[in-house]
């Protein structure tokens, strides 16, 4: 049975308005009245009807965050940064996982719009600019995450992935490696194609260096392991002497496959570098070199931009913030 505000007011012997003040502006109510009302709420098991409050207030106090893969620590670190900044503004974060599936991504965008969230942060799967433009036109501010906005019509927070890919390949070349392999996919992800493009630029500058692509169907440990096993199945002379994995989860899978077959040493026979610098990277059996992304800072900054978008409206100016990646050298490339 749903308990109403009136029943709480009657039990606490106060007006309905006082109950509302206790819930929304407790600083305006005397401490003993707050205590009496809270006791009545507890005794009756009252739960506020947020939908009604949201409609009156115009917008909910939640932010909708859509990430590509909730199983990837990069995105949970990013979500933590977003949550910390949101809490400073009295907001909460609702997390949705698109799992690199356009139907799920769209369903979350519909849900967050119906919930009249304060705004949406999204790491988009493909080119959802059109869909996000409509969302914003109907009043939901939006900021792109982990993807630089193609045009200046959206605010975005990302890392310079071509520079990150260049740095990873350059580091392998500086370690004297010449037969490089890029492990990553699907090619529908901008993060993958941008990192590969950067790696190609570095290899093109190095005489005698080659770069092959071992495409994966996801940026996961399992796919990394499959790629590693395909390398192990080759004759030693046919194997790369260095692997750049598009993210750390792939790199962990590659390391598992190489390590399971004792005769291939990392970095001796094959140097290995990943991307993101998630916590597992430094804890791997061969600590993983990686290209660090400031994941929590990306989340924190994205909420800053979203609050500005919400305050200025769709006509306000939009900002594209691009952080620089950082090379972290560990044992897997001879650090
Ligand atoms: O999930 C896709 C990848 O892109 C993550 O590992 C992270 O690197 C993000 O930028």
């Amino acid at each position: 049975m749903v308990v109403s505000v009136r029943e709480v007011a009657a039990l606490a012997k106060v007006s309905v308005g006082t109950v509302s003040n206790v819930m929304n502006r407790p600083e305006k109510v005397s401490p003993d009245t707050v205590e009496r009302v809270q006791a009545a709420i507890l005794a009756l098991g009252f739960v506020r009807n947020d939908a009604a409050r949201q409609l009156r207030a115009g917008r909910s106090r939640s932010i909708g965050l859509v990430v590509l893969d909730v199983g990837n620590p990069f995105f949970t670190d990013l979500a933590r940064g977003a949550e910390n900044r949101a809490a400073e503004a009295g907001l909460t974060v609702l997390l949705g996982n698109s799992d690199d599936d356009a139907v799920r991504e769209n369903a979350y965008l519909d849900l967050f719009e119906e919930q009249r969230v304060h705004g949406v942060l999204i790491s988009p799967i493909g080119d959802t600019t059109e869909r996000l433009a409509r969302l914003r036109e109907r009043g939901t501010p939006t900021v792109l995450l982990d993807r630089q906005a193609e045009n200046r019509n959206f605010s975005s927070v990302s890392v310079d992935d071509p520079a990150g890919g260049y740095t990873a390949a350059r580091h392998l070349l500086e370690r004297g490696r010449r037969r490089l392999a890029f492990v990553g996919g699907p090619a529908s992800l901008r993060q993958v194609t941008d990192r590969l493009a950067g790696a190609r630029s570095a290899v093109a500058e190095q005489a005698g260096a080659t770069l092959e692509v071992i495409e994966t169907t996801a940026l996961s440990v399992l796919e990394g392991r499959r790629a590693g096993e395909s390398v192990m199945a080759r004759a030693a002379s046919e194997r790369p002497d260095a692997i750049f994995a598009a993210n750390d989860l792939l790199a962990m899978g590659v390391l598992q496959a190489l390590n399971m077959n004792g005769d291939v040493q990392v970095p001796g026979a094959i140097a290995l570098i990943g991307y993101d610098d998630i916590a597992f990277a430094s804890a791997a059996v061969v600590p993983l070199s990686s290209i660090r992304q400031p994941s929590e800072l990306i989340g924190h900054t994205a909420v800053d931009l979203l609050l500005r978008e919400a305050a200025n409206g769709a006509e306000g100016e939009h900002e594209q913030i691009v952080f620089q990646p950082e090379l972290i050298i560990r044992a897997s490339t001879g650090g």
Side-chain angles (χ1 to χ4, degrees):
M1 196 262 285
V2 177
V3 176
S4 73
V5 179
R6 290 189 189 293
E7 292 170 274
V8 173
L11 182 60
K13 296 187 177 43
V14 296
S15 70
V16 169
T18 300
V19 175
S20 171
N21 280 340
V22 167
M23 290 190 292
N24 297 305
R25 291 171 294 283
E27 69 283 358
K28 293 183 181 302
V29 185
S30 70
D32 67 329
T33 302
V34 169
E35 197 176 320
R36 217 166 61 241
V37 169
Q38 285 174 341
I41 287 173
L42 207 58
L44 293 170
F46 170 74
V47 176
R48 65 193 306 182
N49 172 354
D50 215 29
R53 188 183 61 79
Q54 284 179 18
L55 282 176
R56 274 197 310 282
R59 282 272 155 207
S60 89
R61 301 298 292 162
S62 299
I63 288 172
L65 167 60
V66 185
V67 298
L68 275 172
D69 173 8
V70 75
N72 183 341
F74 167 79
F75 287 110
T76 42
D77 291 346
L78 183 154
R80 183 182 295 115
E83 216 167 21
N84 291 343
R85 179 64 187 89
E88 290 168 11
L91 298 171
T92 55
V93 173
L94 303 174
L95 179 63
N97 176 35
S98 66
D99 230 7
D100 201 9
D101 174 332
V103 173
R104 288 180 63 157
E105 179 181 78
N106 211 39
Y108 274 114
L109 291 175
D110 289 343
L111 171 72
F112 289 151
E113 186 168 18
E114 287 153 21
Q115 293 285 319
R116 300 177 61 72
V117 293
H118 202 78
V120 166
L121 301 176
I122 180 168
S123 175
I125 293 169
D127 181 9
T128 43
T129 312
E130 189 46 46
R131 175 76 177 78
L132 298 178
R134 285 203 312 277
L135 186 68
R136 184 171 60 191
E137 278 152 22
R138 293 195 293 260
T140 304
T142 304
V143 170
L144 299 184
L145 275 173
D146 192 33
R147 161 73 53 77
Q148 185 170 359
E150 253 96 36
N151 51 40
R152 303 188 67 78
N153 291 338
F154 280 94
S155 288
S156 62
V157 186
S158 60
V159 162
D160 185 343
D161 277 337
Y166 179 94
T167 302
R170 185 72 234 140
H171 172 58
L172 295 172
L173 295 165
E174 282 165 358
R175 291 289 189 209
R177 308 302 163 113
R178 291 294 179 269
R179 296 192 319 280
L180 275 58
F182 174 84
V183 169
S188 56
L189 280 177
R190 266 280 299 283
Q191 293 90 330
V192 172
T193 51
D194 282 355
R195 292 166 198 175
L196 174 55
R200 287 198 197 284
S201 306
V203 169
E205 293 170 357
Q206 179 66 53
T210 58
L211 176 69
E212 65 167 304
V213 177
I214 301 174
E215 185 150 359
T216 60
T217 59
L219 296 171
S220 64
V221 173
L222 217 52
E223 274 296 287
R225 192 157 160 178
R226 188 184 63 74
E229 284 162 359
S230 72
V231 167
M232 292 309 300
R234 301 180 193 177
S237 59
E238 295 303 308
R239 294 171 187 159
D241 60 6
I243 291 175
F244 166 29
N247 77 351
D248 286 346
L249 296 182
L250 284 170
M252 305 289 280
V254 169
L255 188 58
Q256 271 180 14
L258 300 187
N259 258 10
M260 278 166 68
N261 185 318
D263 70 345
V264 173
Q265 294 304 309
V266 173
I270 299 180
L272 175 64
I273 188 167
Y275 205 104
D276 292 339
D277 196 30
I278 58 176
F280 299 137
S282 57
V285 63
V286 179
L288 192 61
S289 294
S290 187
I291 300 296
R292 175 174 294 167
Q293 295 207 69
S295 40
E296 287 201 31
L297 180 59
I298 291 172
H300 188 283
T301 306
V303 172
D304 268 340
L305 289 187
L306 191 66
L307 295 175
R308 197 183 308 167
E309 292 276 327
N312 300 341
E315 311 69 40
E317 57 153 31
H318 308 296
E319 189 175 356
Q320 292 74 36
I321 295 177
V322 182
F323 290 108
Q324 285 310 308
E326 179 189 358
L327 172 61
I328 306 297
I329 301 174
R330 299 193 178 98
S332 71
T333 57

